[in-house]
Amino acid sequence: MTARVRLASLAVAALAAAGCSNGSSGGGDNTAATSPPTTASPTTSASASASPSPSESPTPTPSFSSTVQASHGCGIGALKVTVGQGQGAAGSTIIPIVFTNDSSRPCTLFGYPGVSFLDSGGHQLGQPADERGGEKAIVTLAPGSAANAQLQIPEPGNFSAADCKVASAAFLRVYPPGEKRSVQLAESAQVCTTEAGRSVVLPVAPGTGG
């Protein structure tokens, strides 16, 4: 082989080697470009923060009935019960029944007293006064202070004889709110003994009502 032919063969071999090297590096670049991106793993911090902690639990609010039960009620032994001055109003007579705290510590009253009419022999006349109307609220009585419940007695003249069946009352029998014991108060009145002419008593409110 001549020197010229040998040089030509070496040149061809060098070009072939260069071509193989360039093709290999290009394939590496394409592989890197098409590799899928790395995806971050989901964390549990969001679900953990959404879970309520025990310290965030709402505190139960006492119900109204438990508030009343927790109060120191005015028992009949702590009360002086009297009848206030009656006043006429639109076909009725309104009499305040007054509850005075006769003890040495505060106490509370709540709701309606029980009231019925008695004749001179102590027998009940008709039904007890209907407990309706007004707004019930806790009334706190300091020693010596008073609350009252308004007793509304319809005038018998507003009804026919059959619808009223009038009778003469000599006493009131009064149960303070929440009490099972009663007091008897002298009070003369002409009252109906029927449902149509039934008296009405309101819940206790602060003051003497006079």
Side-chain angles (χ1 to χ4, degrees):
M1 180 179 294
T2 63
R4 183 176 294 180
V5 173
R6 185 176 299 158
L7 288 174
S9 297
L10 290 174
V12 171
L15 289 174
C20 290
S21 174
N22 289 338
S24 173
S25 63
D29 291 343
N30 289 340
T31 301
T34 57
S35 298
T38 303
T39 303
S41 300
T43 63
T44 58
S45 59
S47 60
S49 61
S51 301
S53 63
S55 61
E56 295 174 352
S57 301
T59 303
T61 302
S63 65
F64 188 72
S65 60
S66 68
T67 302
V68 175
Q69 292 169 2
S71 303
H72 174 62
C74 297
I76 197 166
L79 293 172
K80 178 182 178 181
V81 186
T82 56
V83 178
Q85 182 64 44
Q87 300 177 359
S92 299
T93 299
I94 297 178
I95 298 175
I97 300 173
V98 182
F99 303 92
T100 303
N101 183 359
D102 205 29
S103 72
S104 59
R105 61 174 178 169
C107 62
T108 60
L109 290 174
F110 174 79
Y112 299 90
V115 182
S116 54
F117 298 93
L118 308 177
D119 64 15
S120 58
H123 303 100
Q124 182 170 313
L125 300 172
Q127 300 183 59
D130 193 7
E131 300 172 4
R132 60 182 169 89
E135 182 178 352
K136 294 193 295 183
I138 299 173
V139 179
T140 300
L141 300 180
S145 64
N148 79 95
Q150 301 282 319
L151 175 65
Q152 182 178 357
I153 307 172
E155 294 291 343
N158 296 337
F159 306 89
S160 67
D163 287 339
C164 177
K165 295 182 180 179
V166 66
S168 297
F171 302 98
L172 291 178
R173 181 166 57 203
V174 178
Y175 294 86
E179 265 286 348
K180 295 182 179 180
R181 293 180 294 168
S182 65
V183 296
Q184 189 168 300
L185 308 173
E187 180 66 25
S188 298
Q190 295 295 299
V191 297
C192 293
T193 58
T194 61
E195 179 64 31
R198 189 176 179 183
S199 297
V200 172
V201 65
L202 300 181
V204 290
T208 60

